[in-house]
Amino acid sequence: MQGQLTETGIRQHVELGSRYGRRIGQNVDCRNIKLETTDRPRTIQSMESFMTGFLGTQSQCTSPNLILKVATQETSVGDMHANFAACPVLPEMLVKFSDDQEWKDEHAKYADVFQRVLDAFELPPTTNVELWQIADVLVCRASRGIAPPPGMTEDDVEAINTIYIWEYEYTNRHKKYLQLSIGTFLDRMLEEMDATTRSNDTMVPFHLYSGHDTTLAPLLGTLGIELNMDTWPIYASNIHFQVLSDGNQRYIGVEYMEKPIRVKGCADVICTWDEFVQTVSPYLISFSDWQHECHVGRTRGLGAHLKDRAKK
């Protein structure tokens, strides 16, 4: 489902960008703005809308000669989500999870709801319901004020969202799954934060990544944040990593939904650089190691594509 933003969605991101711009102040290095997004129209529009609001607060970035380049990830090789197509091991792990007794017991509680979903969408009884697809459809309907399909209730919609979020929280407990889902993205983000903050430049670099709830959910898992109905990434959710320095030591402040959060393993809401690295290091993985762990090449035609990317 490609999707596109409504006028309300565009406005939300413009306002979000404006708030961030005002908080950072007019000391952003216009030459060091990095933009990256997945290739979905809605994530591209989200980035465009955010930057419209953000740049509106940065008078030093209004030169007509300023060109901002946007890196767009192809879905087939993207590392900003659990990429089942590129990493065959991930769906295999999910199948194993579904055989765990805890998984079976939790899903058994929703057997009647699953049956009503099959009936409402006129799916054969043997259909393996993909919860993310059902949840996306129901959320889209609700955002437009459209009632649940006939035979389903608002309680059913909430139940589908609950079990969908539970599945993510369950997979977030498993280090290897998190590592293969988001580890390469987290690894290069950390490398970029490290490199840019070693500069003596007084101007502030700004990097923006536009992804999905399925980008933020595993990232929150690496930070030790439990997923539930209150913490699940809703529309326009955001994680903000801010690297600070007192001249002797670097620190990282992390915000989720514009509120400070305490990262697991950190003594306070502001982590020392070493505390933060120690917390996320179990999930970091280089691209070459990710290829090896994912058995890249088993998916026909994909191995060469990924290897070409690794050389770039």
Side-chain angles (χ1 to χ4, degrees):
M1 201 164 30
Q2 296 290 324
Q4 63 183 30
L5 300 193
T6 63
E7 290 185 7
T8 300
I10 291 173
R11 185 172 62 252
Q12 280 182 266
H13 277 286
V14 171
E15 292 171 353
L16 180 64
S18 295
R19 289 198 300 274
Y20 267 107
R22 289 193 297 270
R23 288 178 55 192
I24 293 173
Q26 295 188 6
N27 59 348
V28 170
D29 184 355
C30 309
R31 302 160 303 170
N32 199 350
I33 294 178
K34 175 178 178 178
L35 306 175
E36 185 172 340
T37 177
T38 59
D39 63 0
R40 300 303 187 190
R42 60 186 181 274
T43 57
I44 296 172
Q45 286 179 297
S46 295
M47 173 167 284
E48 291 172 344
S49 303
F50 181 100
M51 289 306 297
T52 297
F54 183 82
L55 291 175
T57 69
Q58 306 294 315
S59 60
Q60 77 281 13
C61 296
T62 57
S63 168
N65 297 321
L66 176 65
I67 298 176
L68 297 179
K69 296 181 179 180
V70 180
T72 304
Q73 284 196 359
E74 293 181 34
T75 301
S76 61
V77 294
D79 65 355
M80 291 171 65
H81 63 287
N83 195 331
F84 284 12
C87 184
V89 171
L90 283 170
E92 292 173 3
M93 292 180 72
L94 267 188
V95 171
K96 291 180 180 178
F97 292 153
S98 67
D99 283 333
D100 293 348
Q101 193 59 49
E102 183 181 358
W103 184 286
K104 291 179 179 179
D105 291 344
E106 193 66 25
H107 283 72
K109 300 175 185 177
Y110 299 89
D112 292 343
V113 176
F114 293 146
Q115 184 57 55
R116 286 193 287 275
V117 167
L118 293 176
D119 294 341
F121 288 93
E122 299 181 352
L123 299 172
T126 55
T127 301
N128 181 23
V129 177
E130 295 286 352
L131 282 180
W132 69 268
Q133 293 176 320
I134 299 299
D136 274 1
V137 169
L138 295 177
V139 167
C140 287
R141 291 174 67 100
S143 69
R144 292 288 188 171
I146 303 174
M152 291 187 67
T153 66
E154 295 289 349
D155 287 343
D156 291 336
V157 174
E158 184 174 348
I160 289 294
N161 283 326
T162 299
I163 189 63
Y164 173 60
I165 293 170
W166 181 91
E167 286 187 357
Y168 260 89
E169 172 55 28
Y170 188 85
T171 57
N172 273 4
R173 301 179 208 166
H174 297 78
K175 186 188 79 172
K176 179 59 68 177
Y177 190 87
L178 270 184
Q179 187 183 55
L180 298 182
S181 296
I182 205 73
T184 58
F185 175 59
L186 183 59
D187 184 57
R188 61 191 182 86
M189 246 201 330
L190 195 64
E191 286 183 358
E192 289 165 2
M193 285 192 282
D194 183 33
T196 55
T197 56
R198 288 185 181 278
S199 169
N200 293 322
D201 198 332
T202 57
M203 299 298 283
V204 177
F206 181 77
H207 294 185
L208 177 66
Y209 305 88
S210 182
H212 308 266
D213 52 1
T214 52
T215 305
L216 297 187
L219 270 179
L220 290 170
T222 66
L223 303 176
I225 306 301
E226 181 180 347
L227 293 177
N228 52 48
M229 292 293 281
D230 294 326
T231 58
W232 180 258
I234 59 175
Y235 180 74
S237 293
N238 52 92
I239 299 179
H240 179 206
F241 298 94
Q242 184 176 24
V243 185
L244 310 166
S245 174
D246 61 6
N248 297 312
Q249 185 168 211
R250 288 181 296 171
Y251 304 86
I252 295 185
V254 183
E255 293 183 358
Y256 178 51
M257 297 294 286
E258 301 175 77
K259 294 181 180 179
I261 60 174
R262 185 171 178 174
V263 175
K264 176 186 65 179
C266 295
D268 204 341
V269 290
I270 301 295
C271 300
T272 66
W273 178 267
D274 290 342
E275 283 177 332
F276 184 81
V277 171
Q278 185 174 2
T279 292
V280 301
S281 60
Y283 310 105
L284 303 179
I285 186 169
S286 67
F287 187 72
S288 58
D289 287 343
W290 178 86
Q291 284 184 298
H292 176 75
E293 293 287 340
C294 285
H295 302 161
V296 169
R298 285 167 39 181
T299 304
R300 186 170 177 264
L302 187 60
H305 192 176
L306 290 172
K307 288 175 183 176
D308 287 342
R309 177 186 169 214
K311 295 175 182 176
K312 293 179 180 179

